[in-house]
Amino acid sequence: MTLDQFPWLTAIVLLPLIASLLIPILPDKEGKTVRWYALGVGIADFILMCYAFWKNYDPSSATFQLAEKYTWISQLGLSWAVSVDGISAPLVLLAGIVTTLSIFAAWQVNIKPRLFYFLMLVLYSAQIGVFVAQDLLMFFIMWEVELIPVYLLVSIWGGQKRQYAATKFLLYTAAASIFILVAGLAMALYGNNLTFDIAELALKEFPLFLELALYAGLLIAFGVKLAIFPLHTWLPDAHGEASSPVSMILAGVLLKMGGYGLIRLNMGLLEHAHVYFAPILAMLGVVNIVYGAVNSFAQTNMKRRLAFSSVSHMGFVLIGIASFTDLGISGAMLQMLSHGLIASVLFFLAGVTYDRTHTMLLNEMGYIGKVMPKVFALFTVGALASLALPGMSGFASEIAVFVGITSSDVYSSTFRTVTVFLAAVGVILTPIYLLSMLRQIFYACEGNPTCDINPSCDISDISLRTQGNQEVVCFGTSCALPSESDFSDARPREVFIAVCFLVPIIAIGAYPKMATGFYDATTVVINSQMRQAHSDVSSLKNSPILAHPSSFPTVSGAQAVTVVANK
């Protein structure tokens, strides 16, 4: 077997899963061997995917690449079919780097370490499986497999309300998954041939009413995962109770599975229904942006504030998907990649802060910038990236979405103006709640020189201020001299993890084509397909939103073949 014939994607999906099965038999009493083993597997899988894409992936091609297909259960038409294109390949890399660094971030897990790292590796495989699956039933199976490790990781290693948060997560996501199964069966059984192959499903001609029903069901399923209002309520609870390594995966990868599903299935298979639902997606995106930003102000829990920030940022993904422009869809993809990196580093640094303060409540923090300058600096850079500072990846993605929706000729000028204005309100609110969070964590409490948290801690006391020429600092609810404080600054491992996220954030911000070049060829083809569908849609109702409705002829099989071939 030559390297060209090697089943790269199958190896990438199965390596963490097979490696996880060896964890129970590893000779290890304190968990040190297991954590090094899990980290080594994560690094090996990430290197494997980087090598496979470097050697065999052509970003200038919009076709599916590295394709593999093996019959799995022939009676059900189920195959092990995997491949990548410009939509899935960058998300596979995102899942690889986020999950590997999450394993490294969980270095201090000492409660059931074997089970913890076993679940992390199973989750690793399931995430990659979702992004590379080209069989709809396989996609559903991988989607379901991912739920179990997350539920256990939250319910065992979470906070005080971990059982409630884990159960809520499972109920929401499992219930929503039913819509994927029902929609998949409906599409597979429709017509003369039973198939779950996504490429073959794209060749089927569905009646408009069926397309609309299928689109609505999948929108609910993926809307839960993407945290679309009002299906988002599981997210703040899960983030608030999950350990930071798990929160990194929740925000960095799992949310993106919802956006990926909307692009791959809703847009890829149900393009005519997308024309009808696109204005709704744009409006939901605006609601997400404003609602998430406003709710962040009300959160006194640091991780819940970051969770609502994620809800807000996912609104840009919806607007980009609904834009009918090359730049808008490209911006939606870039927003998923950018937010995956930014949210991961912020939740990681939230965990680093918690390890020192043992609290997530912002009103119990303060004054810690002096004793933790490295954490302060890293947290500040991450927050600036999240608020879309020019030169950071967040700015590149959000400006692409703004320009994309503004330049869209599909919507009326009134609709575009209102959408952009309301989304801009959310952008203005973002730096306010993020910088406010930094002030509450790292800066002095208002009312200096006495800390409001602990009135008995008077840092104006001369006897304290003059000891060893050091200035006393108020850390949380106690005061101490920096040299005598038990709260250490970021360790080399923690700095390394944060820098691994911040470097690509800054690099993509400085040169966005580093990321967009990976998928632009695919997003251009997808948008071309959407615009063709828009030109085919009947103007049975004179919509004031859609600017140029037209007739809705049935898409012929030849046209569908052309669309799939272009992919």
Side-chain angles (χ1 to χ4, degrees):
M1 177 184 293
T2 64
L3 288 178
D4 292 337
Q5 298 173 322
F6 186 79
W8 293 106
L9 294 182
T10 297
I12 291 169
V13 173
L14 295 183
L15 174 60
L17 179 62
I18 294 174
S20 69
L21 301 178
L22 301 178
I23 287 181
I25 62 175
L26 287 178
D28 186 21
K29 293 183 179 180
E30 299 179 355
K32 294 182 179 180
T33 302
V34 171
R35 69 189 185 191
W36 278 108
Y37 173 78
L39 178 62
V41 172
I43 293 174
D45 205 49
F46 182 66
I47 292 175
L48 185 63
M49 63 180 69
C50 289
Y51 179 81
F53 292 161
W54 177 51
K55 284 291 188 180
N56 302 283
Y57 178 78
D58 179 9
S60 64
S61 173
T63 60
F64 289 108
Q65 303 176 54
L66 294 166
E68 305 165 26
K69 188 172 183 178
Y70 311 98
T71 300
W72 193 353
I73 304 176
S74 57
Q75 295 84 348
L76 296 177
L78 175 60
S79 300
W80 178 274
V82 293
S83 64
V84 293
D85 64 353
I87 301 300
S88 54
L91 294 175
V92 169
L93 292 172
L94 176 67
I97 189 171
V98 170
T99 309
T100 299
L101 291 176
S102 297
I103 293 172
F104 199 19
W107 215 239
Q108 296 176 326
V109 170
N110 51 20
I111 300 175
K112 301 180 180 178
R114 288 180 186 270
L115 179 59
F116 181 89
Y117 292 111
F118 169 82
L119 294 173
M120 291 289 278
L121 292 180
V122 173
L123 180 57
Y124 199 153
S125 281
Q127 292 171 157
I128 304 299
V130 167
F131 293 131
V132 303
Q134 287 303 304
D135 184 282
L136 193 50
L137 193 53
M138 177 185 168
F139 174 89
F140 172 75
I141 292 172
M142 292 295 181
W143 188 280
E144 291 295 285
V145 169
E146 160 265 326
L147 302 181
I148 301 172
V150 176
Y151 169 77
L152 293 175
L153 287 167
V154 175
S155 63
I156 297 176
W157 291 273
Q160 293 182 347
K161 297 181 180 179
R162 58 186 181 274
Q163 296 292 343
Y164 168 78
T167 302
K168 189 173 183 179
F169 163 81
L170 186 64
L171 290 176
Y172 267 66
T173 51
S177 299
I178 296 175
F179 291 96
I180 300 177
L181 178 60
V182 172
L185 290 173
M187 288 188 284
L189 294 172
Y190 185 84
N192 298 323
N193 62 318
L194 170 65
T195 179
F196 289 97
D197 188 280
I198 293 177
E200 294 180 14
L201 290 175
L203 301 177
K204 291 192 175 185
E205 302 173 14
F206 302 110
L208 179 59
F209 75 89
L210 180 58
E211 273 203 35
L212 293 172
L214 294 173
Y215 194 105
L218 291 174
L219 178 59
I220 293 173
F222 300 136
V224 169
K225 190 73 79 175
L226 192 61
I228 298 176
F229 177 88
L231 306 174
H232 69 286
T233 59
W234 64 271
L235 184 66
D237 292 317
H239 275 308
E241 300 303 322
S243 61
S244 287
V246 178
S247 288
M248 291 166 65
I249 296 176
L250 279 172
V253 183
L254 266 61
L255 289 182
K256 313 310 174 287
M257 290 166 58
Y260 171 78
L262 286 175
I263 297 175
R264 175 67 70 215
L265 300 184
N266 290 58
M267 297 178 70
L269 303 181
L270 308 168
E271 62 271 14
H272 295 98
H274 179 72
V275 175
Y276 289 90
F277 274 92
I280 299 174
L281 292 182
M283 290 185 283
L284 287 173
V286 169
V287 172
N288 259 49
I289 292 171
V290 177
Y291 172 85
V294 171
N295 270 271
S296 290
F297 283 107
Q299 307 306 314
T300 58
N301 182 294
M302 175 167 47
K303 289 179 69 176
R304 288 182 67 90
R305 179 168 292 195
L306 294 175
F308 275 105
S309 175
S310 294
V311 173
S312 180
H313 283 90
M314 289 301 96
F316 289 99
V317 176
L318 292 173
I319 294 177
I321 289 174
S323 68
F324 288 95
T325 61
D326 294 345
L327 186 59
I329 298 176
S330 177
M333 273 297 301
L334 188 58
Q335 177 72 350
M336 287 196 286
L337 298 175
S338 171
H339 180 266
L341 297 169
I342 295 171
S344 296
V345 72
L346 288 177
F347 278 108
F348 168 68
L349 292 171
V352 171
T353 305
Y354 177 80
D355 288 341
R356 275 73 170 174
T357 63
H358 304 293
T359 181
M360 283 291 177
L361 299 179
L362 295 173
N363 56 9
E364 293 181 0
M365 299 183 188
Y367 286 95
I368 67 177
K370 292 183 179 179
V371 291
M372 295 169 58
K374 295 178 185 177
V375 175
F376 175 36
L378 295 171
F379 220 134
T380 301
V381 176
L384 292 176
S386 184
L387 60 84
L389 182 76
M392 302 287 195
S393 61
F395 174 79
S397 59
E398 292 183 14
I399 198 67
V401 171
F402 270 116
V403 175
I405 191 66
T406 303
S407 61
S408 177
D409 60 352
V410 170
Y411 299 105
S412 66
S413 59
T414 301
F415 182 81
R416 284 178 287 162
T417 301
V418 173
T419 300
V420 171
F421 174 78
L422 292 178
V425 171
V427 172
I428 294 171
L429 294 175
T430 302
I432 300 175
Y433 67 73
L434 285 175
L435 296 179
S436 173
M437 180 183 70
L438 290 179
R439 176 184 58 80
Q440 290 177 276
I441 298 173
F442 296 105
Y443 292 97
C445 301
E446 295 180 2
N448 194 22
T450 301
C451 181
D452 293 337
I453 302 170
N454 185 3
S456 64
C457 176
D458 187 355
I459 66 171
S460 64
D461 190 317
I462 297 178
S463 63
L464 286 175
R465 293 178 64 87
T466 58
Q467 290 189 46
N469 294 320
Q470 299 183 72
E471 184 176 356
V472 71
V473 292
C474 179
F475 190 98
T477 57
S478 61
C479 289
L481 296 171
S483 62
E484 298 175 356
S485 174
D486 294 331
F487 307 110
S488 61
D489 201 357
R491 302 178 182 91
R493 174 183 62 87
E494 295 165 333
V495 173
F496 174 79
I497 294 172
V499 169
C500 284
F501 285 118
L502 294 176
V503 167
I505 289 170
I506 297 172
I508 294 173
Y511 188 62
K513 194 171 179 61
M514 178 185 301
T516 61
F518 218 74
Y519 57 77
D520 270 345
T522 306
T523 54
V524 167
V525 171
I526 291 175
N527 185 56
S528 176
Q529 179 183 351
M530 295 305 101
R531 294 188 66 85
Q532 179 61 45
H534 175 263
S535 67
D536 292 341
V537 168
S538 171
S539 57
L540 296 177
K541 297 180 180 179
N542 286 327
S543 171
I545 295 176
L546 293 175
H548 307 293
S550 58
S551 61
F552 182 84
T554 302
V555 178
S556 67
Q559 288 176 312
V561 170
T562 301
V563 169
V564 175
N566 287 336
K567 291 183 179 180

